[in-house]
Amino acid sequence: NDVSKKLLRNISSASQNKDFHLFFFGEESIKTKKFLEGARTSFFFQKSLNKNKKVISFKEINNLNLCEEIRTSSFFKIIIFSKVPDNFLANCLDDFNSDILLVYLGKEKNTFNSKFVTLQNQNYFDELMSEKIFDKENFIFLSKDIEEIEKLSNTLKSNEIFFQNNEFLLIDESKNFETEIAEAFDLNNSKNRKEELERIINEDLKFVSRSRVDISKVVVSSSSDIANRLVPAFKYNLLFDLEIYNLPNHYDVWKETSSPGDLEGTFGLEYPVLLNRINLGTKDFYSYSPESKINYSLGFDLINFLNYGNGYFGLLGEYNFVNNEVEISPINVSFQKGKFIQSLN
C-alpha cells in the first residue's frame, strides 16, 4: 500500500550524517528501554544500508552530572526523560539550541530553549478542527485521560468555539462501557419512557429513542484495548446513527485479537506502525504493548528525522519542527466492510 511504500522509502533515504550521544536517567523505565531499543535499531539499520563511520553512544546520567556530561560531548545530544527528576535544575540546557533534543516520554516537561518532543503535547484536535467536527455543539468527547479533556477544552477556547461541560466524559476502563454510554446518552430515562408508553398503548415497542438527540458525533481518545470494547458498546445501546472518530492508538494490527469489524463504520487518525506490519529487525516487536510499540517507534523515527529533516515520514507519521517543538502528524484511517482503509494526509 502507499503508506508502507512511503515509510520504507523515507527510512531508506534518511542516511546518517550525525554522530549521536543519547543520555538517559537511571530509573530504567519500560518507556526508556523501548525508546533506546528503537533508536539503536534505527541507527544500525542505516549503517547496514550505507557503510559510514558515524557512531552512536548511550550514557546513563543523573541530575547532578547532566551539565558536565553534555558539555564534554561533541555529538548531537538526545536527552530522554521518562519523567522529570525531582528538583531538576539544568539551566545549562539553554546554552545548547542547535545540537540537542529533549525527549519527554511522560506527562511532564520542563521549558528550556532547547528543541524538544513529547507525545503528550501532540495536539491531534487540530486535524479534527479542519474537518469542522466541533462546529455545531453536537459532539461528545470520551477520554480515559483528564489531560486530553483539558487539551480539547483549551483548543476549543482558543478557536472561540462554545461548548458545555456535558460534552466531555472521562471513561473508567475498569467499568462496564455499556452502562457508561447508556448514562452519557440518558438511555435509562428513554427506557423508562418507552415502558410507560408501552403500558399506555398496551403494545411492545422495538426501539428506544435516546434523550441526547443533540449528539451526532463522538470523538474517542482511548487505546486499542479500550476502543475494541467501546465501539461495540455503542451498538449494544442501539446507537447506530453516530459518527465516531478515534484519535491515535485505537487499533493495533499486530495483536491477534484485533478485528476491523470491532470498529466498523468509524473514522480517525492512527500511527502507521499500528496499521502496517513492517519488519524492523526486532524479533518480539509483535508482542509489545501498543504503548511500547509507540515509544520504540519514536526512538526509531527520531534518529532518522534528525538526519532527514522536516517532512520525514516515519512509523508514527510525518515529522516537522514547528518553532522548537517536533510535531507528528499521523495518517487517516476508516473501517468499512470488515477492513480498514488507510490514507496519507
Side-chain angles (χ1 to χ4, degrees):
N1 61 63
D2 291 342
V3 173
S4 58
K5 287 178 181 177
K6 185 174 182 178
L7 261 174
L8 295 173
R9 188 166 58 246
N10 276 242
I11 290 172
S12 300
S13 300
S15 56
Q16 296 286 2
N17 55 49
K18 288 180 172 63
D19 296 307
F20 289 102
H21 204 154
L22 279 69
F23 298 97
F24 59 96
F25 293 86
E27 79 285 347
E28 287 294 306
S29 74
I30 295 295
K31 291 179 180 180
T32 299
K33 286 181 180 179
K34 296 307 179 188
F35 178 92
L36 294 175
E37 183 185 4
R40 186 183 296 109
T41 303
S42 178
F43 184 88
F44 287 107
F45 178 81
Q46 289 297 336
K47 208 168 182 66
S48 71
L49 295 178
N50 306 289
K51 304 301 181 183
N52 60 65
K53 296 182 179 180
K54 298 301 179 183
V55 298
I56 187 170
S57 62
F58 304 84
K59 183 69 179 286
E60 182 179 319
I61 55 172
N62 58 53
N63 194 6
L64 298 177
N65 69 357
L66 170 60
C67 289
E68 179 184 352
E69 291 289 347
I70 63 174
R71 284 195 182 102
T72 58
S73 173
S74 60
F75 295 175
F76 189 97
K77 292 163 278 292
I78 300 176
I79 304 176
I80 301 104
F81 302 89
S82 65
K83 64 178 181 179
V84 178
D86 294 335
N87 303 315
F88 182 67
L89 292 173
N91 293 331
C92 60
L93 293 176
D94 285 335
D95 299 332
F96 302 87
N97 54 18
S98 61
D99 63 347
I100 192 169
L101 179 71
L102 309 182
V103 179
Y104 297 102
L105 301 178
K107 295 181 179 180
E108 307 167 286
K109 70 180 178 65
N110 277 34
T111 302
F112 298 100
N113 293 332
S114 307
K115 295 176 180 178
F116 72 95
V117 61
T118 166
L119 290 174
Q120 297 292 331
N121 228 43
Q122 301 297 320
N123 191 345
Y124 300 127
F125 298 118
D126 290 339
E127 196 75 33
L128 298 181
M129 298 294 292
S130 64
E131 299 285 337
K132 301 187 183 302
I133 301 299
F134 305 109
D135 278 10
K136 296 182 179 179
E137 299 176 44
N138 59 351
F139 71 91
I140 188 168
F141 178 55
L142 309 181
S143 178
K144 64 182 180 68
D145 295 316
I146 189 66
E147 291 84 4
E148 286 294 297
I149 291 177
E150 292 172 353
K151 190 187 298 182
L152 176 56
S153 65
N154 290 333
T155 300
L156 295 175
K157 288 175 184 175
S158 65
N159 284 271
E160 298 182 343
I161 294 177
F162 181 78
F163 62 90
Q164 299 181 34
N165 289 337
N166 65 356
E167 290 168 329
F168 301 94
L169 175 63
L170 184 65
I171 55 177
D172 184 344
E173 57 187 297
S174 67
K175 290 186 177 180
N176 182 297
F177 288 162
E178 287 82 359
T179 301
E180 286 198 87
I181 289 173
E183 291 174 353
F185 285 83
D186 202 14
L187 292 178
N188 291 332
N189 284 337
S190 295
K191 182 180 179 182
N192 291 338
R193 287 196 302 273
K194 169 181 174 283
E195 291 174 349
E196 177 65 14
L197 185 57
E198 286 176 335
R199 186 187 64 80
I200 293 173
I201 66 175
N202 195 28
E203 184 176 333
D204 289 338
L205 298 176
K206 294 182 178 180
F207 297 104
V208 180
S209 62
R210 54 187 170 95
S211 297
R212 294 296 307 275
V213 293
D214 56 312
I215 298 174
S216 63
K217 299 171 184 175
V218 178
V219 180
V220 181
S221 173
S222 58
S223 68
S224 58
D225 293 330
I226 293 177
N228 63 13
R229 293 169 49 209
L230 191 60
V231 174
F234 284 98
K235 298 175 183 177
Y236 174 86
N237 282 296
L238 304 180
L239 297 170
F240 298 110
D241 57 340
L242 296 170
E243 295 178 20
I244 301 177
Y245 298 83
N246 287 292
L247 295 182
N249 189 16
H250 68 276
Y251 187 76
D252 185 359
V253 72
W254 299 82
K255 292 174 59 177
E256 291 184 1
T257 56
S258 292
S259 170
D262 289 337
L263 301 177
E264 182 70 26
T266 66
F267 309 83
L269 302 171
E270 190 53 276
Y271 299 122
V273 71
L274 296 182
L275 295 173
N276 298 273
R277 292 190 183 97
I278 296 177
N279 187 353
L280 304 171
T282 300
K283 183 179 178 181
D284 297 324
F285 186 79
Y286 72 93
S287 67
Y288 292 176
S289 70
E291 288 71 24
S292 287
K293 291 186 183 86
I294 291 167
N295 285 306
Y296 174 103
S297 298
L298 182 63
F300 188 98
D301 283 347
L302 285 178
I303 295 296
N304 289 330
F305 166 58
L306 292 168
N307 282 306
Y308 185 102
N310 281 352
Y312 172 75
F313 184 75
L315 300 175
L316 298 184
E318 183 175 302
Y319 286 70
N320 288 283
F321 271 118
V322 178
N323 298 320
N324 272 2
E325 183 174 4
V326 178
E327 290 193 357
I328 305 170
S329 301
I331 61 173
N332 296 312
V333 63
S334 61
F335 294 81
Q336 304 171 28
K337 298 179 180 178
K339 299 179 180 179
F340 64 81
I341 301 171
Q342 51 186 323
S343 59
L344 298 166
N345 294 337

